[in-house]
PDB file of all heavy atoms in Angstrom:
ATOM      1  N   ALA N   1     134.213  83.496 155.273  1.00 98.00           N
ATOM      2  CA  ALA N   1     132.808  83.397 154.881  1.00 98.00           C
ATOM      3  C   ALA N   1     132.495  84.544 153.920  1.00 98.00           C
ATOM      4  O   ALA N   1     132.883  85.690 154.168  1.00 98.00           O
ATOM      5  CB  ALA N   1     131.902  83.476 156.103  1.00 98.00           C
ATOM      6  N   VAL N   2     131.811  84.235 152.837  1.00 98.00           N
ATOM      7  CA  VAL N   2     131.490  85.245 151.827  1.00 98.00           C
ATOM      8  C   VAL N   2     129.977  85.290 151.646  1.00 98.00           C
ATOM      9  O   VAL N   2     129.343  84.269 151.352  1.00 98.00           O
ATOM     10  CB  VAL N   2     132.165  84.930 150.475  1.00 98.00           C
ATOM     11  CG1 VAL N   2     131.800  85.992 149.441  1.00 98.00           C
ATOM     12  CG2 VAL N   2     133.682  84.839 150.641  1.00 98.00           C
ATOM     13  N   PHE N   3     129.416  86.470 151.829  1.00 98.00           N
ATOM     14  CA  PHE N   3     127.981  86.694 151.627  1.00 98.00           C
ATOM     15  C   PHE N   3     127.850  87.685 150.484  1.00 98.00           C
ATOM     16  O   PHE N   3     128.276  88.825 150.602  1.00 98.00           O
ATOM     17  CB  PHE N   3     127.349  87.273 152.895  1.00 98.00           C
ATOM     18  CG  PHE N   3     125.850  87.433 152.832  1.00 98.00           C
ATOM     19  CD1 PHE N   3     125.018  86.498 153.438  1.00 98.00           C
ATOM     20  CD2 PHE N   3     125.269  88.503 152.173  1.00 98.00           C
ATOM     21  CE1 PHE N   3     123.636  86.637 153.390  1.00 98.00           C
ATOM     22  CE2 PHE N   3     123.896  88.650 152.114  1.00 98.00           C
ATOM     23  CZ  PHE N   3     123.079  87.715 152.722  1.00 98.00           C
ATOM     24  N   LEU N   4     127.302  87.224 149.353  1.00 96.00           N
ATOM     25  CA  LEU N   4     127.193  88.133 148.226  1.00 96.00           C
ATOM     26  C   LEU N   4     125.766  88.205 147.708  1.00 96.00           C
ATOM     27  O   LEU N   4     125.011  87.234 147.770  1.00 96.00           O
ATOM     28  CB  LEU N   4     128.121  87.730 147.086  1.00 96.00           C
ATOM     29  CG  LEU N   4     127.731  86.534 146.217  1.00 96.00           C
ATOM     30  CD1 LEU N   4     128.088  86.801 144.767  1.00 96.00           C
ATOM     31  CD2 LEU N   4     128.437  85.271 146.668  1.00 96.00           C
ATOM     32  N   THR N   5     125.402  89.371 147.203  1.00 95.00           N
ATOM     33  CA  THR N   5     124.162  89.524 146.460  1.00 95.00           C
ATOM     34  C   THR N   5     124.529  89.675 144.984  1.00 95.00           C
ATOM     35  O   THR N   5     125.563  90.258 144.650  1.00 95.00           O
ATOM     36  CB  THR N   5     123.363  90.765 146.909  1.00 95.00           C
ATOM     37  OG1 THR N   5     124.002  91.956 146.429  1.00 95.00           O
ATOM     38  CG2 THR N   5     123.254  90.822 148.428  1.00 95.00           C
ATOM     39  N   THR N   6     123.698  89.138 144.132  1.00 94.00           N
ATOM     40  CA  THR N   6     124.002  89.202 142.701  1.00 94.00           C
ATOM     41  C   THR N   6     122.744  89.007 141.885  1.00 94.00           C
ATOM     42  O   THR N   6     121.787  88.358 142.323  1.00 94.00           O
ATOM     43  CB  THR N   6     125.053  88.133 142.320  1.00 94.00           C
ATOM     44  OG1 THR N   6     125.382  88.261 140.942  1.00 94.00           O
ATOM     45  CG2 THR N   6     124.539  86.727 142.581  1.00 94.00           C
ATOM     46  N   HIS N   7     122.752  89.588 140.678  1.00 92.00           N
ATOM     47  CA  HIS N   7     121.715  89.302 139.678  1.00 92.00           C
ATOM     48  C   HIS N   7     122.240  88.324 138.639  1.00 92.00           C
ATOM     49  O   HIS N   7     121.494  87.922 137.744  1.00 92.00           O
ATOM     50  CB  HIS N   7     121.280  90.600 138.979  1.00 92.00           C
ATOM     51  CG  HIS N   7     120.430  91.481 139.836  1.00 92.00           C
ATOM     52  ND1 HIS N   7     119.153  91.142 140.215  1.00 92.00           N
ATOM     53  CD2 HIS N   7     120.660  92.697 140.387  1.00 92.00           C
ATOM     54  CE1 HIS N   7     118.631  92.104 140.961  1.00 92.00           C
ATOM     55  NE2 HIS N   7     119.534  93.057 141.086  1.00 92.00           N
ATOM     56  N   ASP N   8     123.508  87.962 138.746  1.00 92.00           N
ATOM     57  CA  ASP N   8     124.153  87.097 137.765  1.00 92.00           C
ATOM     58  C   ASP N   8     124.032  85.648 138.239  1.00 92.00           C
ATOM     59  O   ASP N   8     124.738  85.222 139.154  1.00 92.00           O
ATOM     60  CB  ASP N   8     125.624  87.503 137.630  1.00 92.00           C
ATOM     61  CG  ASP N   8     126.354  86.757 136.522  1.00 92.00           C
ATOM     62  OD1 ASP N   8     125.880  85.678 136.121  1.00 92.00           O
ATOM     63  OD2 ASP N   8     127.404  87.254 136.080  1.00 92.00           O
ATOM     64  N   MET N   9     123.136  84.881 137.603  1.00 93.00           N
ATOM     65  CA  MET N   9     122.921  83.507 138.037  1.00 93.00           C
ATOM     66  C   MET N   9     124.151  82.640 137.771  1.00 93.00           C
ATOM     67  O   MET N   9     124.422  81.688 138.508  1.00 93.00           O
ATOM     68  CB  MET N   9     121.702  82.912 137.341  1.00 93.00           C
ATOM     69  CG  MET N   9     120.386  83.554 137.736  1.00 93.00           C
ATOM     70  SD  MET N   9     120.051  83.521 139.508  1.00 93.00           S
ATOM     71  CE  MET N   9     120.317  85.255 139.915  1.00 93.00           C
ATOM     72  N   ALA N  10     124.906  82.951 136.719  1.00 93.00           N
ATOM     73  CA  ALA N  10     126.145  82.204 136.478  1.00 93.00           C
ATOM     74  C   ALA N  10     127.129  82.435 137.617  1.00 93.00           C
ATOM     75  O   ALA N  10     127.853  81.518 138.025  1.00 93.00           O
ATOM     76  CB  ALA N  10     126.762  82.620 135.145  1.00 93.00           C
ATOM     77  N   GLU N  11     127.162  83.650 138.137  1.00 95.00           N
ATOM     78  CA  GLU N  11     128.029  83.972 139.264  1.00 95.00           C
ATOM     79  C   GLU N  11     127.613  83.188 140.499  1.00 95.00           C
ATOM     80  O   GLU N  11     128.452  82.589 141.198  1.00 95.00           O
ATOM     81  CB  GLU N  11     127.972  85.470 139.537  1.00 95.00           C
ATOM     82  CG  GLU N  11     128.857  85.954 140.657  1.00 95.00           C
ATOM     83  CD  GLU N  11     128.979  87.465 140.646  1.00 95.00           C
ATOM     84  OE1 GLU N  11     128.126  88.144 141.268  1.00 95.00           O
ATOM     85  OE2 GLU N  11     129.915  87.968 139.990  1.00 95.00           O
ATOM     86  N   ALA N  12     126.310  83.175 140.779  1.00 96.00           N
ATOM     87  CA  ALA N  12     125.816  82.440 141.948  1.00 96.00           C
ATOM     88  C   ALA N  12     126.064  80.945 141.802  1.00 96.00           C
ATOM     89  O   ALA N  12     126.474  80.272 142.753  1.00 96.00           O
ATOM     90  CB  ALA N  12     124.320  82.712 142.129  1.00 96.00           C
ATOM     91  N   GLU N  13     125.833  80.407 140.598  1.00 95.00           N
ATOM     92  CA  GLU N  13     126.013  78.976 140.378  1.00 95.00           C
ATOM     93  C   GLU N  13     127.485  78.589 140.489  1.00 95.00           C
ATOM     94  O   GLU N  13     127.811  77.510 140.990  1.00 95.00           O
ATOM     95  CB  GLU N  13     125.449  78.589 139.014  1.00 95.00           C
ATOM     96  CG  GLU N  13     125.198  77.111 138.836  1.00 95.00           C
ATOM     97  CD  GLU N  13     124.168  76.814 137.770  1.00 95.00           C
ATOM     98  OE1 GLU N  13     123.916  77.692 136.911  1.00 95.00           O
ATOM     99  OE2 GLU N  13     123.616  75.704 137.786  1.00 95.00           O
ATOM    100  N   ARG N  14     128.363  79.449 140.042  1.00 95.00           N
ATOM    101  CA  ARG N  14     129.806  79.172 140.094  1.00 95.00           C
ATOM    102  C   ARG N  14     130.336  79.256 141.530  1.00 95.00           C
ATOM    103  O   ARG N  14     131.119  78.396 141.966  1.00 95.00           O
ATOM    104  CB  ARG N  14     130.538  80.171 139.198  1.00 95.00           C
ATOM    105  CG  ARG N  14     132.026  80.366 139.477  1.00 95.00           C
ATOM    106  CD  ARG N  14     132.912  79.266 138.954  1.00 95.00           C
ATOM    107  NE  ARG N  14     134.316  79.545 139.289  1.00 95.00           N
ATOM    108  CZ  ARG N  14     135.187  80.139 138.468  1.00 95.00           C
ATOM    109  NH1 ARG N  14     134.812  80.520 137.252  1.00 95.00           N
ATOM    110  NH2 ARG N  14     136.442  80.352 138.844  1.00 95.00           N
ATOM    111  N   LEU N  15     129.925  80.268 142.281  1.00 96.00           N
ATOM    112  CA  LEU N  15     130.563  80.558 143.555  1.00 96.00           C
ATOM    113  C   LEU N  15     129.877  79.950 144.774  1.00 96.00           C
ATOM    114  O   LEU N  15     130.550  79.565 145.733  1.00 96.00           O
ATOM    115  CB  LEU N  15     130.634  82.074 143.767  1.00 96.00           C
ATOM    116  CG  LEU N  15     131.500  82.889 142.818  1.00 96.00           C
ATOM    117  CD1 LEU N  15     131.388  84.372 143.158  1.00 96.00           C
ATOM    118  CD2 LEU N  15     132.950  82.441 142.891  1.00 96.00           C
ATOM    119  N   ALA N  16     128.558  79.879 144.747  1.00 97.00           N
ATOM    120  CA  ALA N  16     127.815  79.667 145.991  1.00 97.00           C
ATOM    121  C   ALA N  16     127.748  78.208 146.426  1.00 97.00           C
ATOM    122  O   ALA N  16     127.469  77.316 145.625  1.00 97.00           O
ATOM    123  CB  ALA N  16     126.402  80.225 145.854  1.00 97.00           C
ATOM    124  N   ASP N  17     127.989  77.997 147.722  1.00 97.00           N
ATOM    125  CA  ASP N  17     127.671  76.711 148.336  1.00 97.00           C
ATOM    126  C   ASP N  17     126.170  76.606 148.557  1.00 97.00           C
ATOM    127  O   ASP N  17     125.588  75.532 148.397  1.00 97.00           O
ATOM    128  CB  ASP N  17     128.401  76.572 149.672  1.00 97.00           C
ATOM    129  CG  ASP N  17     129.910  76.587 149.501  1.00 97.00           C
ATOM    130  OD1 ASP N  17     130.431  75.683 148.825  1.00 97.00           O
ATOM    131  OD2 ASP N  17     130.554  77.518 150.021  1.00 97.00           O
ATOM    132  N   ARG N  18     125.563  77.733 148.942  1.00 98.00           N
ATOM    133  CA  ARG N  18     124.107  77.790 149.081  1.00 98.00           C
ATOM    134  C   ARG N  18     123.603  79.100 148.490  1.00 98.00           C
ATOM    135  O   ARG N  18     124.299  80.121 148.496  1.00 98.00           O
ATOM    136  CB  ARG N  18     123.684  77.689 150.546  1.00 98.00           C
ATOM    137  CG  ARG N  18     123.800  76.282 151.128  1.00 98.00           C
ATOM    138  CD  ARG N  18     123.191  76.209 152.507  1.00 98.00           C
ATOM    139  NE  ARG N  18     123.878  77.102 153.434  1.00 98.00           N
ATOM    140  CZ  ARG N  18     123.255  77.895 154.306  1.00 98.00           C
ATOM    141  NH1 ARG N  18     121.930  77.941 154.353  1.00 98.00           N
ATOM    142  NH2 ARG N  18     123.955  78.663 155.127  1.00 98.00           N
ATOM    143  N   VAL N  19     122.367  79.043 148.008  1.00 97.00           N
ATOM    144  CA  VAL N  19     121.724  80.202 147.401  1.00 97.00           C
ATOM    145  C   VAL N  19     120.392  80.419 148.100  1.00 97.00           C
ATOM    146  O   VAL N  19     119.649  79.468 148.372  1.00 97.00           O
ATOM    147  CB  VAL N  19     121.477  79.986 145.889  1.00 97.00           C
ATOM    148  CG1 VAL N  19     120.719  81.174 145.287  1.00 97.00           C
ATOM    149  CG2 VAL N  19     122.792  79.769 145.163  1.00 97.00           C
ATOM    150  N   GLY N  20     120.087  81.684 148.416  1.00 97.00           N
ATOM    151  CA  GLY N  20     118.791  82.035 148.971  1.00 97.00           C
ATOM    152  C   GLY N  20     118.087  83.005 148.034  1.00 97.00           C
ATOM    153  O   GLY N  20     118.709  83.940 147.523  1.00 97.00           O
ATOM    154  N   LEU N  21     116.802  82.755 147.786  1.00 95.00           N
ATOM    155  CA  LEU N  21     116.011  83.661 146.954  1.00 95.00           C
ATOM    156  C   LEU N  21     115.157  84.533 147.850  1.00 95.00           C
ATOM    157  O   LEU N  21     114.306  84.041 148.594  1.00 95.00           O
ATOM    158  CB  LEU N  21     115.118  82.884 145.983  1.00 95.00           C
ATOM    159  CG  LEU N  21     114.114  83.751 145.206  1.00 95.00           C
ATOM    160  CD1 LEU N  21     114.839  84.741 144.296  1.00 95.00           C
ATOM    161  CD2 LEU N  21     113.148  82.899 144.390  1.00 95.00           C
ATOM    162  N   LEU N  22     115.412  85.838 147.781  1.00 94.00           N
ATOM    163  CA  LEU N  22     114.643  86.810 148.536  1.00 94.00           C
ATOM    164  C   LEU N  22     113.626  87.451 147.602  1.00 94.00           C
ATOM    165  O   LEU N  22     113.991  87.956 146.534  1.00 94.00           O
ATOM    166  CB  LEU N  22     115.567  87.885 149.119  1.00 94.00           C
ATOM    167  CG  LEU N  22     114.983  88.782 150.210  1.00 94.00           C
ATOM    168  CD1 LEU N  22     114.747  87.987 151.494  1.00 94.00           C
ATOM    169  CD2 LEU N  22     115.915  89.954 150.503  1.00 94.00           C
ATOM    170  N   ALA N  23     112.363  87.405 147.979  1.00 92.00           N
ATOM    171  CA  ALA N  23     111.299  87.993 147.163  1.00 92.00           C
ATOM    172  C   ALA N  23     110.297  88.668 148.082  1.00 92.00           C
ATOM    173  O   ALA N  23     109.819  88.061 149.048  1.00 92.00           O
ATOM    174  CB  ALA N  23     110.601  86.933 146.311  1.00 92.00           C
ATOM    175  N   ASP N  24     110.021  89.938 147.790  1.00 91.00           N
ATOM    176  CA  ASP N  24     109.064  90.704 148.587  1.00 91.00           C
ATOM    177  C   ASP N  24     109.395  90.644 150.076  1.00 91.00           C
ATOM    178  O   ASP N  24     108.523  90.528 150.923  1.00 91.00           O
ATOM    179  CB  ASP N  24     107.639  90.191 148.331  1.00 91.00           C
ATOM    180  CG  ASP N  24     106.573  91.181 148.786  1.00 91.00           C
ATOM    181  OD1 ASP N  24     106.825  92.401 148.716  1.00 91.00           O
ATOM    182  OD2 ASP N  24     105.496  90.739 149.234  1.00 91.00           O
TER     183      ASP N  24
END
């Protein structure tokens, strides 16, 4: 299992099965 944080949307789109947006 891989849990990553990133500012690179291309990285998230390439790697992630799911994406969560954390805001405030």
Side-chain angles (χ1 to χ4, degrees):
V2 179
F3 185 101
L4 75 142
T5 73
T6 183
H7 286 292
D8 186 339
M9 293 304 107
E11 182 167 88
E13 197 157 20
R14 160 77 181 264
L15 295 178
D17 297 298
R18 285 188 299 136
V19 176
L21 172 64
L22 194 69
D24 197 32

